[in-house]
Amino acid sequence: MKTWCIPKPGARFVAKMEDVLAVYQRPYDPRQPQVCLDEIQKALRSTPRGQLPAAPGQGRREDYEYERHGQCAVFLAVEPLAGQRHTWVFDRRTKLDCAVVLRDLVDVIYPDAAAIVLVTDNLNIHHPACLYERFPPAEARRIAERLEWHYTPEHGSWLNVAEIELSVLKRQCLHARLPDTAVVRRRVTAWRARRNQQQAKIDWRFTTADARIKLKRLYPVVKVQ
């Protein structure tokens, strides 16, 4: 009897997808926290002609003209099973900034963890190599050894739970015009404190079994002869 596989374009996709879904099925372990990391860019804009404050029965009103002030980057790491999230606001989104986030995860946020199970997308800054561009080799290696990387597949960033939390962040915190990085940082910090106090958790229910049914068209066809 021979078996062979007829590959489809989705074979690589499903392999990475099932890897991430398997991570989400692991039970909670404080020694190996599951952390999802992602970031967004926020356009910085001010309203030169000013605005009218909110009044009873009417929200704040601002002039339609605005002035651009570049943009900043908001990094977010969320631990879905613990209902905790952590944020960083930088002037840019670079490998060097991502390296700072990874160091903080290892040394500040989870110093007692044996390993941090990290889920990210395939953006080029999300790679252990960024550590070597920021820190001396020994320090970079020390941080890298504490991270267990799991990448979402290409066009599969929806598998990253951090995207759900970033959507909440944008709706609740970043929808208004914000003029500079300092204002963004204050708003994001206040939002994070409130969400962590609530211990808002994300109940991820899409499993590997579900994927094999609902996304069956992406799987290679195996024939037996």
Side-chain angles (χ1 to χ4, degrees):
M1 178 182 296
K2 294 182 179 180
T3 64
W4 69 89
C5 183
I6 302 176
K8 286 187 176 182
R12 187 181 297 274
F13 180 98
V14 297
K16 288 189 174 183
M17 176 184 66
E18 290 201 353
D19 176 62
V20 172
L21 293 177
V23 169
Y24 292 158
Q25 293 302 304
R26 297 182 188 180
Y28 175 70
D29 183 356
R31 292 284 294 162
Q32 292 185 320
Q34 300 174 24
V35 179
C36 301
L37 176 67
D38 203 357
E39 70 285 325
I40 57 173
Q41 290 182 297
K42 167 63 178 177
L44 302 175
R45 298 173 179 174
S46 63
T47 307
R49 296 180 181 270
Q51 58 190 14
L52 298 176
Q58 186 158 25
R60 183 184 64 180
R61 290 172 290 172
E62 59 186 3
D63 191 77
Y64 69 91
E65 292 185 5
Y66 59 85
E67 184 176 347
R68 299 177 185 270
H69 301 283
Q71 59 187 8
C72 66
V74 180
F75 285 74
L76 182 144
V78 59
E79 188 182 354
L81 298 180
Q84 294 292 304
R85 66 276 302 142
H86 310 277
T87 57
W88 298 258
V89 179
F90 299 109
D91 292 326
R92 300 174 300 168
R93 180 179 65 173
T94 68
K95 295 179 182 179
L96 303 183
D97 299 312
C98 187
V100 172
V101 171
L102 297 176
R103 182 194 60 187
D104 286 353
L105 286 174
V106 167
D107 291 342
V108 179
I109 300 173
Y110 302 103
D112 299 324
I116 299 172
V117 183
L118 187 66
V119 176
T120 70
D121 61 29
N122 285 279
L123 190 66
N124 61 346
I125 68 174
H126 300 156
H127 194 279
C130 73
L131 295 167
Y132 289 86
E133 296 192 28
R134 177 85 190 205
F135 306 113
E139 175 73 355
R141 184 59 181 169
R142 180 189 68 83
I143 298 172
E145 288 180 338
R146 295 275 305 283
L147 299 170
E148 178 187 322
W149 293 78
H150 296 270
Y151 290 101
T152 61
E154 187 177 356
H155 304 303
S157 60
W158 56 271
L159 287 160
N160 189 349
V161 170
E163 280 208 353
I164 299 174
E165 197 66 21
L166 281 173
S167 177
V168 177
L169 171 65
K170 288 188 288 186
R171 294 196 308 270
Q172 296 182 351
C173 178
L174 299 179
H175 63 282
R177 292 178 191 168
L178 303 177
D180 55 54
T181 302
V183 173
V184 174
R185 185 175 291 111
R186 288 198 299 270
R187 290 177 67 102
V188 169
T189 300
W191 173 87
R192 180 193 67 207
R194 183 175 67 252
R195 290 281 288 176
N196 284 344
Q197 186 177 20
Q198 297 170 347
Q199 288 191 317
K201 299 180 181 180
I202 298 172
D203 185 12
W204 182 273
R205 298 190 177 186
F206 190 71
T207 66
T208 302
D210 296 325
R212 292 174 181 174
I213 295 173
K214 297 181 179 181
L215 300 179
K216 183 179 179 180
R217 67 187 185 281
L218 298 178
Y219 282 73
V221 177
V222 178
K223 291 188 176 181
V224 179
Q225 182 176 357

